[in-house]
Amino acid sequence: MQVPAHFEYQRATSVDHAISLLARYGPEARIVAGGHSLIPMMKLRLAQPEMLIDINDLDELGEIRVEVGDEGAELRIGAMTRHADLLGSAVAGEHYPMLHDAERMIADPLVRNRGTVGGSVCQADPSEDLSGAFTALRATAVIRGLDGERTVPVREFFTGPYQTVVGPAEILAELRVPLRPGGGSTYLKVDRRAGDWAVAAAAAALWLAPDGTVAEVGLGLTAVGAPDFTAVQAEEYLRGRPATEETFAEAGRIAAEHCSPVADQRGPVDYKRHLADELTVRALRRAAARARGGEA
Ligand SMILES: Cc1cc2nc3c(=O)[nH]c(=O)nc-3n(C[C@H](O)[C@H](O)[C@H](O)COP(=O)(O)OP(=O)(O)OC[C@H]3O[C@@H](n4cnc5c(N)ncnc54)[C@H](O)[C@@H]3O)c2cc1C
């Protein structure tokens, strides 16, 4: 039986309380949200925090709502939103069906009932589905610390596998997704069996101009070693071009070219690169169909 090393435990009563505990106990303290990544790592002794700060009582971090801020209307998703709540959120699905596509394929109901949106992105596992989704949507992470609040584009949030810009005395409070009407979005994933981690996955959010060209696009790639979980060269190629099969095929090729997948038990490099290409094409095709009001 695997058991974690000895640790102390405190239950935070507010975000400020959690931050003050993090500051008091230093780098040996860790936030626990759903615990579905951290606790297994502690059991394997891959993580050995001396102090766990439980943020499960912080209802203020569990909301999904639309708000108009300095940057216009935004979908705001609290860090403690459970996967199941994002999957069940009508407002999230109405604006960005991609989020429901991704959530439907994350693990199983047991994990989705406990695991959180904030825990997923803070874990920064290269196979984490929401990292690719939020990258495609150009979300912004709201991080709170002793000095107040700062915002970081999700595209600058991940500093490496299992590493983010969140500091030792900081907490991810919220993800904000800009709302831009009229587009289509989707998330497509290949896994070895239902609920498994991705072999590869692609996210696309697409807005079309009246003449059928691509007005704006966001791409996200999961588990294929894409820099910052995205494919900026393919996005640049797409903008202003007709939203056709030929354009999407070239975008897929470009996206795959800039990936650096690693071979592991989920597949060899060539297979994953092929998936990055094919899934990008399929995601663009489906996002375009949704933008045209076709496919649900
Ligand atoms: C069997 C199984 C299958 C899974 N399959 C998938 C899958 O297919 N796709 C997928 O994407 N994920 C999958 N997951 C992961 C799942 O999505 C987890 O919920 C997620 O990785 C972590 O969320 P959590 O709330 O449990 O975080 P925790 O385990 O509590 O925390 C993870 C890390 O984030 C930090 N943290 C958490 N919240 C915050 C915060 N607000 N601010 C700062 N730091 C924070 C913690 O300190 C810790 O370092 C799977 C997990 C399991 C157990």
Side-chain angles (χ1 to χ4, degrees):
M1 187 175 59
Q2 291 160 333
V3 285
H6 173 84
F7 62 90
E8 301 290 322
Y9 173 90
Q10 290 247 22
R11 226 172 152 93
T13 52
S14 67
V15 173
D16 288 341
H17 184 216
I19 292 166
S20 71
L21 289 170
L22 284 168
R24 189 188 319 158
Y25 292 103
E28 300 312 321
R30 288 283 277 277
I31 295 286
V32 62
H36 271 303
S37 291
L38 183 57
I39 304 297
M41 286 177 67
M42 288 170 64
K43 288 181 171 177
L44 293 168
R45 309 272 173 130
L46 294 172
Q48 299 200 21
E50 290 169 12
M51 167 61 73
L52 277 196
I53 299 163
D54 188 334
I55 57 169
N56 278 274
D57 289 342
L58 307 190
D59 295 341
E60 59 194 293
L61 299 183
E63 271 187 85
I64 302 177
R65 64 197 192 284
V66 171
E67 255 185 50
V68 181
D70 296 344
E71 309 293 327
E74 294 170 326
L75 179 65
R76 298 187 172 184
I77 303 171
M80 280 304 290
T81 300
R82 311 280 173 188
H83 293 301
D85 293 330
L86 185 54
L87 181 55
S89 163
V91 67
E94 175 198 334
H95 290 287
Y96 290 118
M98 169 199 297
L99 293 171
H100 281 185
D101 296 341
E103 283 293 1
R104 223 173 267 123
M105 290 182 288
I106 291 178
D108 51 46
L110 284 179
V111 173
R112 293 200 294 263
N113 282 341
R114 281 308 287 174
T116 65
V117 168
S120 283
V121 295
C122 288
Q123 181 64 17
D125 185 315
S127 303
E128 211 81 48
D129 291 296
L130 291 182
S131 307
F134 283 121
T135 296
L137 295 176
R138 291 192 173 76
T140 298
V142 180
I143 299 167
R144 281 175 59 180
L146 290 172
D147 297 330
E149 187 177 289
R150 65 189 177 108
T151 55
V152 177
V154 163
R155 291 177 179 219
E156 295 164 23
F157 182 82
F158 305 101
T159 51
Y162 308 100
Q163 288 177 332
T164 73
V165 297
V166 180
E170 288 186 320
I171 184 167
L172 174 69
E174 191 170 73
L175 287 147
R176 294 180 182 167
V177 184
L179 290 183
R180 183 180 170 151
S185 72
T186 193
Y187 186 84
L188 299 176
K189 167 172 167 178
V190 168
D191 47 12
R192 292 171 303 172
R193 45 184 186 265
D196 203 356
W197 293 88
V199 178
L206 193 76
W207 290 263
L208 298 173
D211 64 358
T213 57
V214 175
E216 188 50 88
V217 61
L219 292 173
L221 285 162
T222 299
V224 288
D228 301 321
F229 288 95
T230 189
V232 282
Q233 297 85 355
E235 291 174 340
E236 276 163 24
Y237 169 80
L238 283 160
R239 260 182 227 110
R241 285 200 155 78
T244 60
E245 281 296 313
E246 292 72 28
T247 307
F248 294 164
E250 180 60 9
R253 193 196 63 72
I254 296 170
E257 186 182 77
H258 290 88
C259 291
S260 305
V262 290
D264 58 16
Q265 77 279 13
R266 296 192 191 115
V269 167
D270 287 352
Y271 174 53
K272 293 186 181 186
R273 199 185 296 283
H274 169 72
L275 287 179
D277 180 340
E278 185 60 32
L279 288 173
T280 299
V281 174
R282 291 187 192 188
L284 284 166
R285 189 184 294 145
R286 192 169 189 210
R290 284 179 168 172
R292 292 183 186 112
E295 192 183 342

